[in-house]
Amino acid sequence: MTRQILVTNALPYVNGDIHLGHLVEHVQTDVWVRFQRMRGHEVRAFCGDDTHGTATMIRARQEGREPEALLEEMNERHREDLAAFDVIYDHYGSTHSPSNQKLVNEIWEALRGAGHVAERDVTQLFDPETGVFLADRFVKGTCPRCSAEDQYGDSCESCGAAYRPEELSNPVSALSGAVPELRTAPHFFVTLEDFRAFLEEWTQREGVLQPEIANWLMGSFLSEPLRDWDVSRPAPYFGFEIPDAPGHFFYVWLDAPVGYMSSTWDWCEQTGEDFDRWWRNPECEIHHFIGKDIAYFHTLFWPAMLKTAGQPLPRRVHVHGFLTVNGEKMSKSKGTFVLGRTYAEHLSPHYLRYYLASKLSDRVTDIDLNLEEFTAKVNADLVGKVVNLASRTARFLKNDSLTEVYPDDGGLFEAGAAAAEEIAAAYEACDSGRACRIVMGLADRANEYVEAKAPWALRKQPGKEEEVRAVCSVALNLFHQITTYLDPVLPRLGEGARALLGVEGPPRWDAAAVPLTARPVAPFRHLMQRVDPERVEAVVAASASSEAS
RNA sequence: GGCGGUGUAGCUCAGUCGGUUAGAGCGGCGGCUUCAUAAGCCGUAGGUCGGCGGUUCGAGUCCGCCCACCGCUACCA
């Protein structure tokens, strides 16, 4: 049965470049999307920039230009950076679009109409110099508990205390350095407790969330009355003005997830596709891929919005952990806060795709990029095992072709074909680490076979030409089978393997089930270079010296 | 503090429904090979499965308590 699948990624915030942390998610998603396409399903992937909020407004102001100019520049950079890693979207949009505004307004109307909106005053710190209300993170001051200086307005990094920004001693605005004052303004709230019964059911529904996320929601947010969600900000704010409340704007997180819909909408406009078939169709599976930091937006607020708007709910929300580098938080001073573009200047993006995919699972745990292991793993697994299979046999078939009938290989190819469903199940569950482990096992078996048959020895014996051809035909078929299984992770390697063996068309999962025969073998070219540790060092050095934003 | 998660070999991690002697890759050590991008193959060493207690014929696995680490705790996004 062909499934119809709509996939989204968390929308990168416009105020920064794509870094390796973003790429954990985009690679995980892209692997899943490519896998589903290989299986013959109808898949569309959408992403875009998250654009609204105070941060964008302030930065544009500082740079003396309109926010729209900043948005345009960053959108292009984000697209370039993701494309460099072979991450493909059907449409990469922006939350600052007419379609997004239209869709947000519709959802707002639904929330209002259903009586889920309340209004009340909020007192907040206000920066008199820039004229903006300050979110917790835009206030700095001295911790009221331990007196550590230069702490954010919500919590102290030194002693871990949590407090309200007005409790800070010596508070200053992080935007201007001015001393903030308290001001009161009306805000609109979504009364989330209205959705309790629905959320208790939906979040615990089998298959919608990973168990640890479902447990966490039940033990935290859902263990007490849900607080009202503050969804408006008084002017000035870069965002959409609330239609029935002039001078008030939608909080960025109200319109951000709607960006998934508007990105689809814009794609439909361009291609003539039917929007309702993708977003208002219970048959269409919607899959969100996000980081654990924004899990509650996607598992509480967003489903409540969709439910109110009468939309189908996500089939699954896939939550992943963060990336650490060499066991620590990414750090600009240590050169481990690496931008995608910095990495790609020195190293092949495919190395990173494989390394991340080999470590990703369906769990929410953080994954570590250990740079020594990165070098060793890519060289050992991809160059030493997989590519080596072709490298050590293809040239023996120069100007020749694969055998007319697939030779007896002791059941190796068949065993590889039999593993297809287990590997597919791992990809389906986002457990690409498991998929990679199984495939590397196949590569080990294949190398053992070549070792045992020793075609390099056979070819020195007169009259053994056909035997050499048979052994190499087996090795190249196993290579093709393996690269087919790895194609979601390493599409260019798959392409190279198909070019070597003259296979036409896009990658197909079932290509791993049937051996190739009687095909000419193209001259072998190296399909992948070894990782040079000096290049890894160069990435770290470049990251340490560059002003990463 | 509360909540969620994690803890298995030097490193990164598998370990299904509780079931023989706990596995893999990398790294180490010894050997073979020299077709292949210093790639490959064989062998070998290395573990009180965080600790204590319990259930059970049997616990890495289930239960309780404790310890350590990570994360989250709603108006940064």
Side-chain angles (χ1 to χ4, degrees):
Chain A
M1 192 196 74
T2 302
R3 291 154 63 189
Q4 187 193 351
I5 304 173
L6 186 149
V7 178
T8 74
N9 257 118
L11 310 182
Y13 194 59
V14 74
N15 196 22
D17 278 319
I18 299 295
H19 55 68
L20 297 191
H22 288 111
L23 285 163
V24 169
E25 175 172 305
H26 291 269
V27 167
Q28 179 179 49
T29 308
D30 192 65
V31 166
W32 199 78
V33 165
R34 287 176 186 270
F35 164 71
Q36 299 296 359
R37 288 196 170 133
M38 282 179 77
R39 299 279 277 179
H41 300 307
E42 186 184 12
V43 190
R44 295 293 180 269
F46 299 99
C47 194
D49 283 337
D50 180 20
T51 58
H52 292 148
T54 309
T56 307
M57 178 177 76
I58 296 301
R59 178 168 163 191
R61 215 185 259 187
Q62 282 169 349
E63 294 176 359
R65 53 178 171 169
E66 289 304 310
E68 283 78 1
L70 170 65
L71 264 47
E72 204 173 314
E73 181 196 323
M74 292 307 293
N75 192 277
E76 200 177 323
R77 285 174 75 89
H78 286 178
R79 286 174 196 245
E80 282 171 7
D81 291 350
L82 293 169
F85 285 82
D86 281 337
V87 172
I88 305 295
Y89 291 106
D90 289 278
H91 189 78
Y92 191 93
S94 162
T95 57
H96 194 63
S97 67
S99 57
N100 204 46
Q101 185 160 28
K102 169 187 168 298
L103 289 162
V104 172
N105 287 346
E106 284 176 17
I107 290 176
W108 179 247
E109 230 172 87
L111 287 166
R112 280 274 215 197
H116 297 310
V117 176
E119 182 181 348
R120 65 169 180 271
D121 285 347
V122 170
T123 301
Q124 233 182 327
L125 289 175
F126 179 84
D127 181 336
E129 200 153 307
T130 57
V132 290
F133 282 94
L134 296 167
D136 297 353
R137 277 275 150 159
F138 293 128
V139 185
K140 290 197 142 189
T142 305
C143 171
R145 190 165 90 178
C146 76
S147 300
E149 288 179 13
D150 203 31
Q151 296 303 317
Y152 286 116
D154 52 352
S155 64
C156 174
E157 286 187 342
S158 179
C159 74
Y163 41 75
R164 299 167 50 76
E166 54 268 32
E167 295 174 55
L168 282 173
S169 352
N170 314 314
V172 292
S173 164
L175 304 179
S176 67
V179 176
E181 53 194 57
L182 283 170
R183 278 209 195 174
T184 299
H187 282 229
F188 295 97
F189 294 79
V190 172
T191 50
L192 207 60
E193 181 66 12
D194 299 349
F195 297 91
R196 163 166 297 279
F198 158 67
L199 289 171
E200 282 181 351
E201 190 276 325
W202 183 78
T203 59
Q204 304 303 307
R205 201 182 288 175
E206 178 71 30
V208 170
L209 301 176
Q210 288 128 300
E212 57 263 60
I213 298 293
N215 291 346
W216 162 69
L217 290 171
M218 276 314 262
S220 54
F221 293 91
L222 292 167
S223 69
E224 52 187 66
L226 290 157
R227 287 179 239 164
D228 293 347
W229 179 33
D230 187 349
V231 295
S232 77
R233 296 292 181 274
Y237 191 77
F238 180 59
F240 293 137
E241 193 163 29
I242 301 178
D244 51 9
H248 294 267
F249 290 76
F250 290 124
Y251 170 51
V252 54
W253 263 109
L254 187 78
D255 72 58
V258 180
Y260 301 142
M261 294 168 67
S262 62
S263 186
T264 312
W265 181 282
D266 294 344
W267 170 76
C268 289
E269 291 283 291
Q270 286 172 12
T271 58
E273 286 270 342
D274 177 10
F275 178 79
D276 287 358
R277 187 170 162 269
W278 289 95
W279 273 97
R280 290 166 183 159
N281 173 8
E283 296 303 311
C284 178
E285 297 179 27
I286 295 169
H287 291 257
H288 297 304
F289 286 80
I290 59 168
K292 61 186 181 181
D293 52 333
I294 56 174
Y296 60 80
F297 291 108
H298 287 79
T299 56
L300 298 174
F301 308 156
W302 177 233
M305 289 163 67
L306 288 172
K307 166 102 171 145
T308 305
Q311 300 253 153
L313 296 158
R315 178 68 52 92
R316 185 167 176 90
V317 180
H318 306 259
V319 183
H320 62 79
F322 292 152
L323 182 73
T324 56
V325 178
N326 289 339
E328 296 177 338
K329 262 189 189 174
M330 297 194 291
S331 144
K332 287 179 191 175
S333 61
K334 288 181 178 152
T336 54
F337 189 94
V338 179
L339 300 183
R341 49 182 55 215
T342 308
Y343 171 98
E345 275 169 27
H346 297 90
L347 289 166
S348 162
H350 304 100
Y351 302 156
L352 189 73
R353 284 182 70 103
Y354 175 71
Y355 183 82
L356 294 177
S358 77
K359 301 207 109 185
L360 279 163
S361 73
D362 55 349
R363 308 298 307 275
V364 190
T365 52
D366 292 352
I367 63 173
D368 185 46
L369 167 59
N370 179 289
L371 294 171
E372 276 182 37
E373 189 200 18
F374 168 81
T375 306
K377 194 175 184 73
V378 170
N379 287 342
D381 288 1
L382 298 183
V383 181
K385 284 180 188 169
V386 176
V387 174
N388 193 223
L389 272 174
S391 180
R392 69 195 304 202
T393 56
R395 61 188 222 112
F396 298 151
L397 286 186
K398 203 171 160 191
N399 303 322
D400 203 344
S401 58
L402 300 176
T403 52
E404 283 67 34
V405 175
Y406 184 71
D408 177 14
D409 65 0
L412 274 181
F413 189 90
E414 209 179 301
E421 284 315 302
E422 197 186 354
I423 298 166
Y427 277 125
E428 176 69 42
C430 286
D431 196 350
S432 56
R434 182 177 171 80
C436 289
R437 280 195 300 279
I438 299 169
V439 174
M440 285 310 138
L442 298 179
D444 285 337
R445 299 298 87 71
N447 274 303
E448 287 161 21
Y449 171 86
V450 174
E451 192 74 22
K453 295 290 181 185
W456 51 89
L458 288 173
R459 71 196 271 272
K460 289 174 186 159
Q461 302 171 29
K464 298 273 191 178
E465 293 80 8
E466 271 310 296
E467 210 174 316
V468 171
R469 191 169 164 229
V471 170
C472 294
S473 294
V474 169
L476 289 173
N477 260 296
L478 296 174
F479 172 67
H480 178 246
Q481 188 176 54
I482 287 164
T483 55
T484 299
Y485 290 145
L486 288 176
D487 201 286
V489 179
L490 297 165
R492 295 207 190 172
L493 176 63
E495 222 169 84
R498 291 194 297 281
L500 179 70
L501 300 171
V503 178
E504 303 281 334
R508 292 161 46 94
W509 189 258
D510 52 19
V514 186
L516 302 167
T517 52
R519 287 167 178 276
V521 177
F524 180 76
R525 296 181 300 117
H526 282 175
L527 294 168
M528 189 174 280
Q529 300 303 315
R530 294 175 58 78
V531 179
D532 179 352
E534 286 184 15
R535 308 294 283 170
V536 177
E537 290 301 316
V539 169
V540 174
S543 299
S545 55
S546 75
E547 271 304 310
S549 56

